[in-house]
Structures are given as C-alpha cells and as structure tokens.
Amino acid sequence: AQSVTQLGSHVSVSEGALVLLRCNYSSSVPPYLFWYVQYPNQGLQLLLKYTSAATLVKGINGFEAEFKKSETSFHLTKPSAHMSDAAEYFCAVSDPGGGNKLTFGTGTQLKVEL
Amino acid sequence: DSGVTQTPKHLITATGQRVTLRCSPRSGDLSVYWYQQSLDQGLQFLIQYYNGEERAKGNILERFSAQQFPDLHSELNLSSLELGDSALYFCASSLRTSANTGELFFGEGSRLTVL
C-alpha cells in the first residue's frame, strides 16, 4: 500500500526565507504525488502534482517540488516565504490504478514570522 | 471557492445520536470522496462513490454509511455517535474526465462535535 511520511509537524521560517517541507513516499509502483494546502477554516487546495512527467513540478503561489526516486522523496520548496504562506501542508500519494483515492501524510504546519 | 458544497458547517450532538452530512460535488464531477480529519488520526479516507456506485472503501466504521444519489449529491450517515467521532468531515469531488489525476476539490468541511 502507498503511504507518505512528512517529517516535522511544525516548521517555522522567517519572512523571505527558504521554505522546505519534507515528504517521503513508500510505494510498490511508480506513484502519483501531490501537495495540498489547507488554510484556516478552509478545505484542502491542490498546490502541485507529480504524475510521472517532469520531475521538477511547479505549482501555485511560487511553490515547487522535485520528485527524487533514488531518495523516495517529494519535498516542497519556496525560495522566499510570505506571511500568507502560513497554513498546513499535506503531502499525498495516489495509486495510479487506484481510482483517485489519495492517502495523505500527517501534515506540516508552516508558521511564517516577521 | 472549490465548487463543492457541504452542509451543515457545524453540528453539535450527543453520544448515541445519528447525524447526516450532505455534500454537493462540483458540477460535472461524478466521483465523491469522504475524508475524516481529526487531531489524532489526521486525514483518513473513508469512502468513495463514482456515479452512484461505491468505488473504494477506507477506514470507515460500520456505524457509518454513505450513498450517492442520482443527482450525484452524497450523504454520509454517522450513527451511535461516540466522543471519538468528533472531527472535521470533508467531502471532495474529482474531475469527470479524469482517470486518475488525483486532483480532488474539497469542500470546507462539516465540523462534528459529539458531547
């Protein structure tokens, strides 16, 4: 079964600093991988997705992630954090033959400080 | 606005009671998913329906059931409620023509509090 592990339940960065949120996956088949963001009192919103095309994926709001098969990782990065990036971020994996069912990680709460 | 509508937004009830959560998917989306989000369990997949048929089942308790109606809206029924059922219940829908892109559109959730 597919699964993802997010390292660090809370990450704090200064405004303007690099954001790095870590995600490692476990899958018996080439996975589809996703990052979703959840702002307070809202549902989840797709940031970006990897579906076996380019390994470097660009998403919304300046975020990007790189699929590294050798490291089984799909870390999320943003060069310069903004206060509006404060939210909870979820990594998720989908079995390509699994009909869109997503398995989510436990989430990382990002705090951005002045 | 994702286009997915969930009602009610908040619900407070007592142990042993039964509640129904409702979800209207985005226009044209045939798949509906239910997820439970709690502090201790995180985001857990409960069940998926596609065009009225159950497609996949996750960690859904026997006390819970769901269905998708001909107009594609879905309901999640939770019965014999326990304190531990307190959580945020999300509905999501996916693109009609998508075989498996994994892009789910989430509603804002229904927050259930069991006292």
Side-chain angles (χ1 to χ4, degrees), chain A residues 32 34 36 38 41-46 49 51 88 90 94-106, chain B residues 31 33 35 37 42-43 45 48 55-57 88 90 94-95 98-108 111:
Chain A
Y32 289 173
F34 311 85
Y36 278 79
Q38 184 180 25
N41 301 314
Q42 293 188 28
L44 282 75
Q45 177 185 359
L46 180 67
K49 61 183 179 183
T51 55
E88 188 155 23
F90 292 90
S94 169
D95 176 358
N100 267 348
K101 179 173 75 77
L102 294 182
T103 300
F104 287 90
T106 50
Chain B
S31 269
Y33 309 76
Y35 280 85
Q37 186 179 37
L43 263 168
F45 168 72
Q48 177 200 0
R55 176 62 65 92
K57 215 167 188 176
L88 191 53
F90 283 110
S94 65
L95 291 171
S98 160
N100 188 26
T101 66
E103 182 163 4
L104 303 187
F105 295 85
F106 282 79
E108 294 188 355
R111 183 170 295 282

Side-chain angles (χ1 to χ4, degrees), chain B residues 76-98:
Chain B
L76 178 67
N77 300 296
L78 315 175
S79 62
S80 303
L81 286 168
E82 302 175 359
L83 296 177
D85 297 328
S86 296
L88 191 53
Y89 291 85
F90 283 110
C91 170
S93 68
S94 65
L95 291 171
R96 177 178 190 162
T97 57
S98 160

Side-chain angles (χ1 to χ4, degrees), chain A residues 20-40:
Chain A
L20 171 60
L21 304 182
R22 298 177 187 275
C23 173
N24 288 88
Y25 70 89
S26 172
S27 176
S28 57
V29 298
Y32 289 173
L33 293 161
F34 311 85
W35 278 98
Y36 278 79
V37 60
Q38 184 180 25
Y39 297 103

Side-chain angles (χ1 to χ4, degrees), chain A residues 35-98:
Chain A
W35 278 98
Y36 278 79
V37 60
Q38 184 180 25
Y39 297 103
N41 301 314
Q42 293 188 28
L44 282 75
Q45 177 185 359
L46 180 67
L47 267 182
L48 51 79
K49 61 183 179 183
Y50 166 76
T51 55
S52 73
T55 56
L56 182 62
V57 181
K58 294 188 184 298
I60 61 172
N61 301 337
F63 285 93
E64 63 181 38
E66 187 172 6
F67 174 74
K68 292 187 177 180
K69 186 176 179 181
S70 60
E71 299 177 8
T72 62
S73 69
F74 190 59
H75 301 331
L76 181 70
T77 60
K78 181 174 181 177
S80 177
H82 191 272
M83 296 295 289
S84 61
D85 295 327
E88 188 155 23
Y89 293 79
F90 292 90
C91 183
V93 63
S94 169
D95 176 358

Side-chain angles (χ1 to χ4, degrees), chain B residues 37-77:
Chain B
Q37 186 179 37
S38 61
L39 284 175
D40 55 343
Q41 296 288 327
L43 263 168
Q44 296 286 317
F45 168 72
L46 296 179
I47 198 164
Q48 177 200 0
Y49 279 83
Y50 179 81
N51 202 22
E53 300 287 328
E54 183 183 304
R55 176 62 65 92
K57 215 167 188 176
N59 302 319
I60 188 167
L61 300 172
E62 285 192 10
R63 299 183 286 108
F64 296 0
S65 64
Q67 54 184 325
Q68 186 179 27
F69 295 86
D71 67 353
L72 300 177
H73 91 270
S74 178
E75 293 182 356
L76 178 67
N77 300 296

